[in-house]
Amino acid sequence: MILKLEHIYKDYIQGKMTVPVLKDVCLNVEKGEYVAIMGPSGSGKSTLMNIIGCLDRPTSGTYELAGRDVLNLNDKSQADVRLHSIGFVFQNFQLLPRMSALDNVALPLLYAGVRKRVRRQRAHEALVRVGLEERVNFKPTQLSGGQKQRVAIARAMVNRPEILLADEPTGALDSKSSKQVMELFQKLNDEGVTIIMITHDSNIAGYAKRVVDIFDGELSEHREVVQ
């Protein structure tokens, strides 16, 4: 078991009101799984993603990642989990515009203290893995949307994380680029990468091997996808 959420609740305080966002969420993900968490806007899926990504803490419940109780870690240790154990792919790429594709991909290795020669080599290998070996010196403004997302995926994978966490990864892409990015996710999963993808799009969710529906803060259904 790579990820285990048990009885997760998340409330927000608005004035004098308590607003429940997640309600008794339980989720297990095995190593090597490809899971889509699908729900409409306001369903709680982004809040759930932030908890899985150690970007937020639940009001109550337990969360184990690769056997570690991450909720009892201090902020520095949680930052280390984000750096080493979770690779993030965002809808809007989050690339630094003045840096090359290679330097963008190498950033997590810089934060991890990897020496320059090694991080450039590993960043180059990551870009080759996503099919961008001819774009290593291009800046984001010189890349298409699909290419930017592939750079973002390479950056997410460069630290060899235990989970790749993707938040609406095709939300800013056209249909052709979306298909290419989803085929890349499929390839990575076939290579053994554990993927958790947040989406509102049933077509995109269909690429996963398991779909978990979230509605009004509750995981309401677990569906196996027929490939």
Side-chain angles (χ1 to χ4, degrees), residues 79-91:
D80 286 341
V81 170
R82 290 193 298 271
L83 179 60
H84 296 287
S85 298
I86 303 170
F88 294 91
V89 179
F90 299 101
Q91 177 176 337

Side-chain angles (χ1 to χ4, degrees), residues 85-127:
S85 298
I86 303 170
F88 294 91
V89 179
F90 299 101
Q91 177 176 337
N92 293 319
F93 322 127
Q94 303 288 354
L95 301 178
L96 297 180
R98 295 185 180 181
M99 297 178 70
S100 68
L102 185 73
D103 289 336
N104 266 286
V105 173
L107 265 180
L109 299 173
L110 174 63
Y111 299 145
V114 177
R115 63 184 187 274
K116 184 175 181 180
R117 182 182 63 80
V118 175
R119 66 176 183 257
R120 289 182 68 83
Q121 178 184 345
R122 283 177 54 182
H124 187 273
E125 289 170 355
L127 285 166

Side-chain angles (χ1 to χ4, degrees), residues 14-28:
Q14 293 184 352
K16 296 182 179 180
M17 292 181 59
T18 299
V19 180
V21 178
L22 298 178
K23 309 164 190 173
D24 199 23
V25 167
C26 298
L27 177 66
N28 293 334

Side-chain angles (χ1 to χ4, degrees), residues 207-220:
Y207 283 89
K209 293 176 180 174
R210 177 160 65 108
V211 178
V212 178
D213 296 305
I214 185 168
F215 188 74
D216 283 346
E218 298 182 49
L219 297 189
S220 58

